[in-house]
Amino acid sequence: MMPLRVLTKRLPTRRLQAATLRALSTETPPAAATKEEAAEAAEPTPEELGNLAGVPISQATEAHRLKFFSFAKEQQDQLFPEGILRRMDEAFDLVGHRHIMLRDTTLQIISAMKDWETTKSSTIGAYLIDGERGTGKTFALHQIVQFARESNWVVLYIPNPRSWCTEAPYVMQSPYQEGKFDIDVYGVDLLEKFLHCHGDQLSKVTVRGKYGERYYPASKFDTKPKTYAEYKDEALTLRDIVVNGIREEELACQAVCDLKEELAQVTEFPVLIAIDDYNTWFQKTVFGYEGKNVEPEDISVIAALRNIGAKGYDESRKLKNGLFVAAVTENYPTKTHFKQQVDYRKLRATMRTYTPEELAAVVSYYNQVSFLHDKPTESQLAYFRLMTKSLPLHVFDRASFS
């Protein structure tokens, strides 16, 4: 490929950054003190935005197809306390900007969520994002979670489910479910992250199930009262379930299981359960107990959240007011492919290699943010497409060395 070193026109950075920050803010901007400040505060034109959406992902429409949406560093703690994929973070650092392109598969799911009151009655209730390695499945799920949390959905998000099978320090017999195992430290961590994002919403949702003396009103008592009589007539919220699970490690995993059952009945807010690397919950664990292997379905939280199985999506687990969205990974191949274990044909949302239109948009974005300093000719772009096979991972890797 010919060396590409023709510097393209740079963005009016100061003006664009100010507009982007205003778009992400929920506060009313102060009145400009001078004409100069007023001009600087003006919204950027489509020409100035170029490949950037210029609005939060929660405001995405069909018109923003193949546009790049911001994921500001300042948003990460608020929207993703669970953390993000290390490679994603490294990619952002290398590019020097934090944007993700809105592709067709992601747009399809987000569009259904955006018009949820209309679409929820006709949706099957679940999507499973698949595709070959490097097509951007995790990035797609990330955007879906970001959209949901920016749009006031309640989101239970598990970005690294494989850790429950291979990295946890131990499993212990569940004191609540016979034959099941808990990982209390992981249960507590999951609940803490969930509370961080959705504590206010959870306090507005009354518990629907009957749990006897298992949970107490956490806002009224710092520790569990000695007798059930002290709180048996108290109304509970979902926040109480979560806080109880955080305070009592032994209860944590059961609290996650009960929370999942409650989320299936929630109508006050739309609900999203999002799980990345979902197929790793159908592989072997590293655990054993009394000479027998502990399988993923033997772990209480995994059993509660495996909504898609050998017979497809389990309708008995369907969320009354929400979606179950999972993504698979090709990073951990096994003898038996996931397609042979799980029937997800009706739920399939596939991430593919870039179309010529998508590749052109990506290269144009790289030019715009000066990650790729040269604007390639048609023949150079064709060569680039040939060398990368239009696989998003290869496109990024090759651009980073150009």
Side-chain angles (χ1 to χ4, degrees):
M1 187 174 182
M2 294 176 61
L4 306 176
R5 289 297 167 202
V6 180
L7 186 62
T8 57
K9 180 182 177 182
R10 296 296 298 271
L11 289 171
T13 307
R14 186 180 176 192
R15 178 177 173 185
L16 183 56
Q17 286 179 342
T20 303
L21 288 173
R22 286 198 307 278
L24 292 171
S25 175
T26 57
E27 298 179 2
T28 303
T34 66
K35 289 183 179 180
E36 182 180 343
E37 290 176 356
E40 185 174 303
E43 292 297 327
T45 65
E47 291 75 21
E48 290 169 336
L49 283 172
N51 299 284
L52 304 184
V55 297
I57 190 69
S58 58
Q59 297 178 24
T61 67
E62 292 282 346
H64 294 108
R65 174 179 173 270
L66 306 190
K67 294 295 184 181
F68 285 75
F69 285 84
S70 173
F71 173 56
K73 191 78 172 177
E74 296 75 22
Q75 293 178 287
Q76 188 163 320
D77 180 64
Q78 176 191 357
L79 297 177
F80 288 87
E82 302 90 350
I84 65 172
L85 186 71
R86 179 172 57 85
R87 183 176 175 87
M88 184 185 295
D89 216 17
E90 291 173 349
F92 288 148
D93 288 343
L94 194 59
V95 173
H97 297 268
R98 300 169 67 87
H99 298 105
I100 302 175
M101 183 169 71
L102 181 59
R103 301 182 66 192
D104 288 333
T105 300
T106 316
L107 178 59
Q108 171 197 352
I109 298 173
I110 284 178
S111 295
M113 296 170 70
K114 190 175 181 69
D115 196 22
W116 183 242
E117 288 305 313
T118 302
T119 60
K120 67 179 179 181
S121 60
S122 58
T123 180
I124 193 172
Y127 293 94
L128 195 142
I129 303 171
D130 71 347
E132 65 178 287
R133 183 176 182 272
T135 48
K137 299 178 290 295
T138 291
F139 280 81
L141 189 64
H142 174 100
Q143 268 194 323
I144 291 165
V145 171
Q146 184 179 351
F147 170 86
R149 283 184 167 159
E150 285 186 10
S151 303
N152 208 36
W153 285 52
V154 173
V155 184
L156 185 64
Y157 177 44
I158 302 179
N160 186 19
R162 186 171 182 265
S163 64
W164 286 75
C165 299
T166 63
E167 299 173 16
Y170 53 79
V171 294
M172 54 187 290
Q173 284 187 297
S174 170
Y176 297 93
Q177 299 183 47
E178 186 177 355
K180 297 296 184 185
F181 294 87
D182 291 343
I183 307 174
D184 53 6
V185 289
Y186 275 35
V188 169
D189 182 68
L190 176 58
L191 293 171
E192 286 177 338
K193 302 297 195 303
F194 186 64
L195 181 67
H196 177 84
C197 282
H198 303 291
D200 289 342
Q201 291 164 290
L202 298 177
S203 65
K204 298 173 183 176
V205 182
T206 302
V207 168
R208 290 166 167 82
K210 303 297 182 183
Y211 302 101
E213 59 184 276
R214 185 178 299 169
Y215 301 108
Y216 61 90
S219 58
K220 186 173 181 178
F221 301 96
D222 292 331
T223 58
K224 190 171 186 176
K226 293 182 179 180
T227 63
Y228 181 39
E230 294 180 63
Y231 61 92
K232 69 175 184 178
D233 295 325
E234 298 281 349
L236 297 175
T237 67
L238 294 195
R239 191 178 190 280
D240 292 320
I241 290 181
V242 173
V243 174
N244 274 236
I246 293 171
R247 289 178 180 175
E248 299 179 42
E249 285 189 354
E250 190 177 81
L251 178 60
C253 286
Q254 185 58 43
V256 174
C257 296
D258 292 337
L259 174 66
K260 188 263 182 178
E261 291 300 315
E262 290 290 331
L263 291 176
Q265 302 302 318
V266 166
T267 56
E268 292 85 346
F269 301 95
V271 174
L272 172 67
I273 296 178
I275 305 174
D276 203 0
D277 297 354
Y278 180 72
N279 53 317
T280 61
W281 274 358
F282 292 80
Q283 299 173 2
K284 297 293 184 182
T285 79
V286 298
F287 304 113
Y289 183 77
E290 293 185 346
K292 295 182 180 180
N293 292 331
V294 173
E295 301 297 335
E297 61 269 24
D298 296 329
I299 298 173
S300 61
V301 169
I302 295 178
L305 291 170
R306 279 202 340 185
N307 285 11
I308 304 172
K311 297 182 179 180
Y313 183 51
D314 188 342
E315 290 287 339
S316 68
R317 295 177 172 223
K318 186 174 182 178
L319 305 180
K320 184 175 289 187
N321 187 34
L323 285 173
F324 180 93
V325 182
V328 299
T329 179
E330 298 297 329
N331 289 338
Y332 310 102
T334 57
K335 290 182 179 179
T336 305
H337 195 273
F338 185 60
K339 291 178 182 177
Q340 298 172 277
Q341 297 174 297
V342 170
D343 180 7
Y344 61 91
R345 288 171 294 179
K346 295 180 180 179
L347 316 171
R348 193 175 188 183
T350 302
M351 298 297 291
R352 305 186 187 280
T353 56
Y354 287 142
T355 64
E357 183 185 14
E358 287 177 320
L359 181 60
V362 170
V363 171
S364 178
Y365 166 74
Y366 286 163
N367 286 149
Q368 183 176 351
V369 299
S370 297
F371 180 57
L372 193 62
H373 288 287
D374 311 316
K375 187 174 182 179
T377 64
E378 285 297 321
S379 61
Q380 289 172 334
L381 191 59
Y383 182 76
F384 192 77
R385 185 162 53 245
L386 176 67
M387 295 303 293
T388 62
K389 297 182 179 179
S390 295
L391 186 71
L393 177 62
H394 292 169
V395 168
F396 174 79
D397 286 344
R398 190 164 185 86
S400 66
F401 288 104
S402 296

